[in-house]
Amino acid sequence: MKTQRTIVSIAILSMLLLSRLDVSARPAPTTGPARSGEVIPDPADVGGEPQGMVQVGNLIYAGTKTSKCFSDHFLLQAERDTTISTTRHFHPVRLGDEEVFGFPLIIMTGEGEFELTDAERNNLKQYVENGGMVLASASCSSPEWDRSLRAELARVLPAQALSAIPMDHPLFHTVYDIETLNAKHGEPKPLEGISLGGRLVVIYSQEGLNNTANTQGCCCCGGNEITNCEQVNVNILAYALTH
């Protein structure tokens, strides 16, 4: 069920969001030459839509790790059910580059172990401290990725810790009123988050919000997955733009 109280204002707030991101906090560019065999599209060229639309970044981190199976279909649903105007496709962006500061929401997902570089940790810290939001999701409910993410967040934000987000949190009542999380297998673990100044800046699903039903050649690989993830992801996008 959609709520009506935020839909009218989302378009205006989304246009103002980038002005909230503190561009003065951007570090000097850290872009280096691509590794051998590494092909990474330029973020500015991927979506092909006007720059005035809301753009969501798909993180490239720890070398060449990135999401291959996180569906961007929720961006289309957001356009259908709200006044949010999106590019409809994720834009690849390196966590270690200054371009990351141009996105109000970035997707961080994958499987297996990983370790961030110092430049990536520095950018991640500045990104969330200056208005950005990270949507993190363990592909295939990967326990190795889960451990790595928790370790990296503890290094980047040592004074904060992931904690369960209760279902009465505003996150679950922006565009849709979501009373429960549903999963492919059993009762899912709650979403977890980190807040700064009363605002969620990291939202994490150990089960997975990837929506592999809307990606080609992908599945949850025997792991679990939140099945009402599209509505959850639309709410996360709306929360990122309105809080």
Side-chain angles (χ1 to χ4, degrees):
M1 177 179 176
K2 289 182 287 185
T3 63
Q4 299 298 318
R5 60 189 177 83
T6 61
I7 292 178
V8 175
S9 62
I10 284 175
I12 297 174
L13 287 167
S14 65
M15 295 292 291
L16 295 175
L17 181 77
L18 290 183
S19 66
R20 187 182 68 191
L21 295 174
D22 187 355
V23 295
S24 66
R26 296 182 185 181
T30 56
T31 305
R35 301 182 183 209
S36 176
E38 182 181 1
V39 178
I40 298 174
D42 183 343
D45 297 333
V46 176
E49 295 90 356
Q51 291 294 311
M53 295 182 175
V54 174
Q55 299 183 13
V56 176
N58 180 18
L59 280 189
I60 301 160
Y61 61 96
T64 59
K65 271 193 172 292
T66 191
S67 167
K68 301 178 178 65
C69 290
F70 197 107
S71 172
D72 57 11
H73 193 264
F74 77 93
L75 298 177
L76 179 60
Q77 186 167 333
E79 280 212 331
R80 289 172 175 168
D81 289 349
T82 76
T83 55
I84 299 173
S85 182
T86 75
T87 58
R88 300 189 184 182
H89 299 289
F90 297 148
H91 291 243
V93 58
R94 292 177 185 266
L95 180 54
D97 288 357
E98 66 173 356
E99 284 80 9
V100 74
F101 294 97
F103 296 89
L105 176 67
I106 52 177
I107 308 295
M108 184 176 185
T109 185
E111 55 187 292
E113 295 180 349
F114 69 90
E115 186 172 343
L116 299 181
T117 66
D118 288 342
E120 289 173 330
R121 292 182 187 120
N122 183 57
N123 270 14
L124 182 58
K125 179 178 175 63
Q126 293 193 51
Y127 175 78
V128 298
E129 288 181 344
N130 291 281
M133 175 178 286
V134 179
L135 194 175
S137 173
S139 296
C140 304
S141 308
S142 170
E144 297 84 6
W145 198 87
D146 174 73
R147 288 193 295 269
S148 294
L149 178 73
R150 293 179 188 278
E152 289 296 343
L153 289 176
R155 295 184 70 171
V156 172
L157 299 168
Q160 287 76 30
L162 285 167
S163 60
I165 305 173
M167 295 304 299
D168 62 355
H169 191 281
L171 171 70
F172 297 109
H173 306 282
T174 54
V175 178
Y176 307 104
D177 283 314
I178 300 173
E179 302 298 334
T180 60
L181 296 176
N182 305 317
K184 289 187 175 182
H185 309 296
E187 184 176 350
K189 298 177 180 67
L191 297 189
E192 297 175 83
I194 292 176
S195 295
L196 294 176
R199 175 182 180 269
L200 284 168
V201 296
V202 176
I203 297 172
Y204 173 51
S205 172
Q206 187 175 344
E207 307 283 21
L209 292 167
N210 292 28
N211 190 20
T212 54
N214 280 296
T215 53
Q216 294 185 347
C218 293
C219 66
C220 63
C221 314
N224 208 357
E225 192 170 73
I226 304 298
T227 55
N228 55 339
C229 54
E230 274 211 354
Q231 290 190 337
V232 174
N233 290 339
V234 170
N235 273 22
I236 291 172
L237 176 61
Y239 181 93
L241 296 173
T242 58
H243 288 76

